[in-house]
Amino acid sequence: MTTTSEGSMAVGAYPQAAVVSAPAHQITVCICSFKRAELLNRLLMKLDQQQTQGLFAYSIVVADNDSMRSAEPVVAAFRSTTHLPVAYCIEPQQNIALARNRALQRAEGDLVAFIDDDEFPADDWLCNLFKMYKASGADGVLGPVKPYFETEPMSWVKRGGFFDRPTHPTGHRMNWGQSRTGNVLFRKDILNGLGNPFRSEFGMAGEDMDFFRRAMNTGCTFVWCNEAVAYEEVPPSRCTRSYLLKRALLRGSNFPKHPEQRVRNLIKSLIAVPCYVVCLPVVALFGQHVLLKYLIKLCDHASRLLAFLGLSVVTERQT
């Protein structure tokens, strides 16, 4: 410390206080919810524990797709216990695409993440997505969603791997057919050229692949981060043959809505359906889990063919 001849401190002699700069990036975590109060509460609690390492700040938006506002008390209770900014909005028309768009309208960050209300992340989930985003230079990053069973399922469920999703090496460049919104982070400004990011005509399934297809057609790139893990709740009600077959029928019914390679996919399904029908008696010899795998493939392709004719066997997503 320096002093003047009168013993007073010289101008500028005070030590400078350290200036703490705000993180350069803000992530808005978007959640679309429909009548899953307990699962939503668990997800919010897990999001409250996310590691940031000082690299970014984050907030949460909950888009309630229930006109009765069932998620509102959960969000209000969570707000009273967290330091995180939390926004609540409602999309009264039950349509997952509209709910996603509603959430995006409230997203204030330069980055957007999506996670489903029946999922919950590892504590380093958001941090790993962000680090991969910065390291890769990609426009977005996707991560794995692993099954979490409430109760131990029947052996055929695990043997068949019906709730296992494909994984990829970290850094793998994704194509739109591999992409989902259950675990993703992307730059918000990629939405600028997409009109409605998620299109309501897809109903309750397929709107996410359509989003990635259109984004990639504008030149956006998405990569995989195998370390950014989220878990999906699999209740006993989903561990049934009827659920799995109906899920395949719904998935197939939305496929023709994608404009690319329509003729190629039509021909593929025309060949696949009779082939699967013929092989069913043979694959049944290898166990019911193998038979069910081929029945799912058959339902998927048969539903695609019916959809080309304007017919849909299953139109609503099961909870």
Side-chain angles (χ1 to χ4, degrees), residues 138 140-142 172-174 186 190 212 215-216 220-224:
V141 182
L142 295 97
H172 169 77
R173 183 166 174 170
M174 305 292 285
F186 58 84
I190 72 172
F212 286 106
M216 291 180 189
C220 294
T221 58
F222 294 83
V223 298
W224 184 262

Side-chain angles (χ1 to χ4, degrees), residues 116-281:
D116 291 344
D117 65 346
D118 60 348
E119 298 175 357
F120 60 93
D123 290 348
D124 58 358
W125 166 69
L126 204 54
C127 200
N128 284 333
L129 285 176
F130 179 79
K131 286 179 177 179
M132 190 62 197
Y133 165 75
K134 295 293 287 185
S136 67
D139 298 288
V141 182
L142 295 97
V145 178
K146 299 182 179 182
Y148 176 83
F149 295 98
E150 284 183 5
T151 57
E152 186 68 17
M154 299 288 287
S155 61
W156 63 265
V157 175
K158 286 195 170 181
R159 290 179 67 191
F162 298 110
F163 297 96
D164 296 337
R165 304 189 189 187
T167 60
H168 313 277
T170 294
H172 169 77
R173 183 166 174 170
M174 305 292 285
N175 64 55
W176 65 267
Q178 299 170 322
S179 304
R180 305 289 188 277
T181 48
N183 181 352
V184 65
L185 171 78
F186 58 84
R187 287 192 300 111
K188 184 183 177 184
D189 61 11
I190 72 172
L191 304 174
N192 295 339
L194 296 182
N196 276 333
F198 296 95
R199 300 197 296 176
S200 60
E201 55 263 41
F202 278 82
M204 299 306 293
E207 82 295 334
D208 48 357
M209 280 199 295
D210 174 69
F211 164 77
F212 286 106
R213 178 184 60 78
R214 289 182 292 120
M216 291 180 189
N217 284 345
T218 67
C220 294
T221 58
F222 294 83
V223 298
W224 184 262
C225 179
N226 213 39
E227 294 74 31
V229 180
Y231 299 90
E232 179 186 28
E233 181 86 8
V234 184
S237 60
R238 294 187 185 181
C239 299
T240 65
R241 297 168 185 82
S242 62
Y243 173 88
L244 294 169
L245 294 176
K246 288 178 180 178
R247 185 177 68 170
L249 290 169
L250 178 61
R251 181 173 59 244
S253 67
N254 280 289
F255 205 84
K257 295 176 183 177
H258 298 289
E260 295 186 358
Q261 301 179 342
R262 287 171 60 87
V263 174
R264 176 184 175 184
N265 288 322
L266 175 60
I267 294 173
K268 182 178 179 180
S269 292
L270 284 170
I271 296 172
V273 167
C275 289
Y276 286 135
V277 170
V278 169
C279 74
L280 285 179

Side-chain angles (χ1 to χ4, degrees), residues 31 39-47 116-117 119 121:
I31 307 164
L39 296 181
L40 175 61
N41 182 65
R42 180 181 64 185
L43 170 57
L44 292 172
M45 294 300 177
K46 288 290 186 179
L47 288 176
D116 291 344
D117 65 346
E119 298 175 357

Side-chain angles (χ1 to χ4, degrees), residues 77-132:
F78 177 66
R79 272 200 191 117
S80 68
T81 64
T82 183
H83 67 286
L84 295 172
V86 184
Y88 171 86
C89 56
I90 184 169
E91 173 49 60
Q93 182 176 342
Q94 193 181 344
N95 183 298
I96 186 62
L98 295 178
R100 294 196 196 284
N101 290 338
R102 184 72 67 181
L104 289 173
Q105 290 173 4
R106 298 294 300 272
E108 297 181 350
D110 60 308
L111 299 171
V112 173
F114 270 101
I115 187 168
D116 291 344
D117 65 346
D118 60 348
E119 298 175 357
F120 60 93
D123 290 348
D124 58 358
W125 166 69
L126 204 54
C127 200
N128 284 333
L129 285 176
F130 179 79
K131 286 179 177 179
M132 190 62 197

